[in-house]
């Protein structure tokens, strides 16, 4: 499989009056062509910051990409100038956010916004732009596209607005679509329809997708692979099957227990006790130690090495590594 994107050792901080928040602390992952990777974790774990760093949309200051590589089609976007990035955003990589209204201009018709999005980047005639806009409206499932092109954002429902935002994101035929909590603001039935739409779009256009979400239920529907983030690090990565049927990290297991199950009459949600660590001064060992029912002495002293359970499945947890006890003995002697 061809790799489209590879993120290596990404570190992002934010300066605040209270000190420096280490929001992303050495993140590694890759995305293959044509696949959907879900980055999952609680709010504040660094998943949105990671996706903004890929697009170089971190507000600097207070944010800063301290180090890391973002290799997209063989080129390191982390070394690009802002001008070079502008030729990538919306063209090669597009991003959509939780609230569709922020991406739409309330004073312009949908047709104008779609066509402008295309003509900003491509030398096409107004007629060609209109044809493309209609094609995109059709792709995202908006009925009567000819009529609806003349309407304004407020004339659409929330779900329809999110479809339009997706159409705008795709009009230049990007190779990568990053969607940050794209269904969180929508009600449940509409959420399901938008998730189905992602599947349809991928099957039709072959676009690769990074889906950022706190909701494992969402992920189960459309992800091929899953990266679980906690306290600024990816702590487990695997295929959807690795994560749903063979999760190894105690945090991932906890997340899975807190997913509502439709097959149970009574909903038994088990939230994970405790809160994530303070990222002003993150622990040097495993950040899950204070909440982990299986924590050992080594855990809060040394960050676990990444263990390969299989070619597709990696875990950062000392339970995977028999050397944990030896390491503990060594640090005890230091
Ligand atoms: Fe729990 Fe230790 Fe594994 Fe962290 S490294 S998840 S504390 S067992
Ligand atoms: Mg977020």
């Amino acid at each position: 499989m061809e790799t489209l994107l590879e993120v290596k050792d990404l570190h992002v901080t934010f300066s605040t009056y209270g000190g420096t928040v280490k929001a992303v602390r050495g993140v590694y992952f890759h995305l293959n062509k044509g696949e959907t990777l879900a980055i999952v974790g609680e709010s504040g774990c660094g998943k949105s910051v990671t996706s903004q760093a890929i697009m170089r949309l971190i507000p600097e200051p207070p944010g800063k990409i301290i180090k890391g590589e973002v290799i997209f089609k063989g080129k390191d976007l982390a070394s690009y100038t802002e001008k070079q990035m502008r030729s990538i955003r919306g063209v090669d990589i597009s991003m959509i956010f939780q609230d569709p209204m922020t991406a739409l201009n309330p004073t312009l018709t949908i047709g104008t916004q779609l066509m402008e999005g295309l003509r900003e980047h491509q030398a096409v005639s107004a007629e060609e732009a209109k044809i493309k806009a209609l094609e995109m409206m059709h792709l995202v499932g908006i009925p009567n596209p000819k009529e609806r092109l003349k309407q304004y954002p407020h004339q659409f429902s929330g779900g329809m607005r999110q479809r339009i935002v997706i159409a705008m994101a795709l009009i230049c035929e990007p190779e990568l679509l990053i969607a940050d909590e794209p269904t969180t603001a929508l009600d449940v039935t509409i959420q399901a329809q938008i998730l189905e739409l992602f599947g349809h779009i991928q099957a039709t256009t072959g676009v690769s997708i990074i889906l950022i979400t706190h909701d494992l239920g969402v992920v189960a529907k459309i992800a091929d692979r899953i990266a679980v983030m906690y306290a600024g690090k990816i702590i487990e990565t695997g295929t959807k099957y690795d994560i749903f049927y063979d999760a190894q990290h105690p945090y991932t297991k906890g997340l899975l227990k807190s997913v509502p199950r439709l097959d149970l009459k009574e909903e038994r949600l088990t939230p994970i006790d405790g809160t994530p660590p303070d990222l002003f001064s993150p622990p040097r060992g495993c950040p899950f130690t204070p909440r982990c029912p299986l924590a050992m002495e080594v855990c809060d002293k040394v960050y676990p090495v990444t263990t390969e359970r299989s070619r597709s499945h990696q875990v950062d947890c000392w339970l995977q590594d028999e050397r944990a006890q030896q390491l503990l003995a060594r640090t005890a002697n230091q």
Side-chain angles (χ1 to χ4, degrees):
M1 241 185 275
E2 204 179 322
T3 305
L4 181 69
L5 176 81
E6 192 169 9
V7 172
K8 291 184 193 166
D9 202 22
L10 182 68
H11 292 254
V12 183
T13 62
F14 287 87
S15 314
T16 71
Y17 288 114
T20 303
V21 180
K22 298 175 184 73
V24 173
R25 307 187 295 130
V27 156
Y28 293 79
F29 68 89
H30 76 278
L31 176 73
N32 294 319
K33 256 195 167 157
E35 79 174 349
T36 297
L37 171 74
I39 303 181
V40 185
E42 290 166 289
S43 76
C45 70
K47 56 193 194 299
S48 295
V49 175
T50 299
S51 63
Q52 286 159 11
I54 294 169
M55 288 288 263
R56 295 269 303 283
L57 289 173
I58 303 276
E60 285 194 42
K64 191 166 175 51
I65 298 175
I66 298 293
K67 69 186 259 204
E69 290 170 61
V70 178
I71 315 286
F72 177 70
K73 296 204 290 178
K75 303 242 167 62
D76 184 9
L77 300 185
S79 69
Y80 272 30
T81 61
E82 176 55 25
K83 195 172 165 220
Q84 285 174 307
M85 278 312 294
R86 273 202 293 270
S87 69
I88 296 279
R89 289 189 205 115
V91 180
D92 296 294
I93 309 178
S94 279
M95 191 157 180
I96 58 175
F97 301 94
Q98 186 172 325
D99 180 4
M101 265 328 242
T102 57
L104 296 170
N105 183 334
T107 68
L108 297 175
T109 65
I110 295 308
T112 303
Q113 296 187 58
L114 278 166
M115 292 188 283
E116 275 183 2
L118 183 65
R119 296 187 77 189
E120 209 176 291
H121 301 289
Q122 286 176 20
V124 292
S125 69
E127 196 47 40
E128 286 167 316
K130 192 173 174 190
I131 292 168
K132 187 75 190 176
L134 286 169
E135 192 187 300
M136 296 319 291
M137 299 273 277
H138 181 73
L139 173 71
V140 301
I142 294 175
N144 308 321
K146 267 197 182 140
E147 292 309 307
R148 303 223 76 179
L149 272 185
K150 297 175 203 146
Q151 295 183 329
Y152 292 87
H154 73 89
Q155 292 171 287
F156 292 81
S157 66
M160 282 294 161
R161 281 200 287 263
Q162 194 60 298
R163 285 175 193 263
I164 292 160
V165 170
I166 295 168
M168 283 175 60
L170 294 173
I171 199 158
C172 294
E173 300 178 6
E175 287 182 72
L176 173 57
L177 177 66
I178 302 177
D180 188 356
E181 306 270 9
T183 63
T184 306
L186 305 170
D187 67 44
V188 178
T189 46
I190 309 295
Q191 275 188 18
Q193 293 168 11
I194 296 290
L195 292 175
E196 266 167 40
L197 175 62
F198 278 110
H200 170 67
I201 285 166
Q202 192 159 59
T204 318
T205 68
V207 68
S208 309
I209 299 175
I210 295 179
L211 174 72
I212 311 282
T213 180
H214 65 279
D215 184 345
L216 269 173
V218 163
V219 163
K221 293 203 179 71
I222 63 166
D224 299 304
R225 285 193 305 119
I226 299 172
V228 182
M229 257 189 107
Y230 187 76
K233 285 185 170 281
I234 288 178
I235 51 92
E236 184 161 10
T237 317
T239 63
K240 178 159 75 180
Y241 302 96
D242 292 332
I243 300 296
F244 278 92
Y245 298 111
D246 190 30
Q248 295 298 317
H249 198 288
Y251 177 65
T252 312
K253 289 183 183 172
L255 272 187
L256 286 165
K257 273 198 206 136
S258 64
V259 178
R261 286 186 44 183
L262 296 173
D263 54 335
L264 294 180
K265 265 213 188 104
E266 258 176 77
E267 222 176 61
R268 266 183 240 122
L269 287 183
T270 325
I272 307 167
D273 285 338
T275 50
D278 177 5
L279 291 180
F280 284 110
S281 52
R284 68 193 155 117
C286 171
F288 195 55
T289 310
R291 302 170 82 181
C292 181
L294 301 168
M296 301 168 284
E297 230 185 307
V298 66
C299 296
D300 75 344
K301 296 196 169 63
V302 189
Y303 188 81
V305 289
T306 301
T307 308
E308 297 244 334
R309 272 189 67 83
S310 70
R311 278 191 62 187
S312 64
H313 192 181
Q314 287 90 33
V315 193
D316 289 8
C317 171
W318 280 127
L319 291 171
Q320 302 296 314
D321 195 310
E322 61 223 15
R323 288 170 305 170
Q325 297 311 322
Q326 299 164 14
L327 244 165
L328 177 64
R330 229 189 294 153
T331 44
N333 294 333
Q334 269 167 15

